[in-house]
Amino acid sequence: EEVHTFSQTEGFQYEVQVDSSAVIVGYSGNATSLTIPLMLDDHFVTGISPSAFSRAIHLTELTVPGSMGSIPMAAFVGCLSLSEVTIEEGIRSVGRQAFGFCPSLKNVTLPASLASISDDAFPQDCAALFYVATGTVAEQYCQKRDYQIVIDG
């Protein structure tokens, strides 16, 4: 039987898993620049749940560390001010509408580790510059959508 413990630290609501790791389930902070933390209290953060950061309207800059593994469906949907996104090496997938309704995106860095990106992960008419490595899934994804890309490294 799973025990669900919900806690809150610095605006992050998280759920403690059976293995004592934490999954972020919500965010009520008003930070403008945010790096998803690796630890909350004494728990390693291993994931983000769908819609966890939806409508975090203050957010302008975001870094997602590779230890999260994936960015789930609608995780950052409706972050209207979000302009800079750095997804670090280690992230394997980006889910449906993960960055849907984020009209302010200007710079998005995608790692070579990405194996899958949902068709509608980013706004259809996204005008951001996408920083990608050559020969990667991220590069193919952006080319297919006519997104502007900058080959990084």
Side-chain angles (χ1 to χ4, degrees):
E1 187 174 312
E2 287 192 44
V3 180
H4 294 286
T5 313
F6 290 95
S7 298
Q8 178 158 329
T9 299
E10 295 167 28
F12 294 98
Q13 290 89 40
Y14 65 93
E15 189 177 12
V16 178
Q17 307 300 298
V18 181
D19 64 1
S20 191
S21 67
V23 171
I24 296 172
V25 296
Y27 179 70
S28 59
N30 52 14
T32 54
S33 182
L34 184 68
T35 296
I36 307 286
L38 299 177
M39 299 280 297
L40 283 169
D41 300 321
D42 293 329
H43 306 282
F44 282 103
V45 177
T46 55
I48 304 166
S49 68
S51 306
F53 291 86
S54 65
R55 296 181 296 283
I57 55 170
H58 303 287
L59 205 53
T60 59
E61 290 178 37
L62 169 71
T63 300
V64 182
S67 53
M68 298 303 115
S70 67
I71 298 175
M73 179 173 89
F76 299 95
V77 75
C79 291
L80 300 179
S81 307
L82 188 58
S83 65
E84 307 272 337
V85 174
T86 302
I87 299 173
E88 293 187 342
E89 209 53 58
I91 298 288
R92 307 273 311 141
S93 67
V94 180
R96 297 194 54 223
Q97 291 281 319
F99 294 93
F101 304 103
C102 293
S104 305
L105 288 175
K106 286 185 179 48
N107 292 298
V108 178
T109 301
L110 299 177
S113 57
L114 278 172
S116 75
I117 308 169
S118 180
D119 276 349
D120 60 356
F122 294 92
Q124 206 172 347
D125 54 355
C126 194
L129 282 177
F130 283 80
Y131 292 80
V132 298
T134 187
T136 59
V137 166
E139 183 190 29
Q140 292 164 6
Y141 174 86
C142 292
Q143 284 174 336
K144 194 170 136 189
R145 282 159 192 78
D146 288 326
Y147 288 164
Q148 299 180 66
I149 59 173
V150 176
I151 300 294
D152 220 4

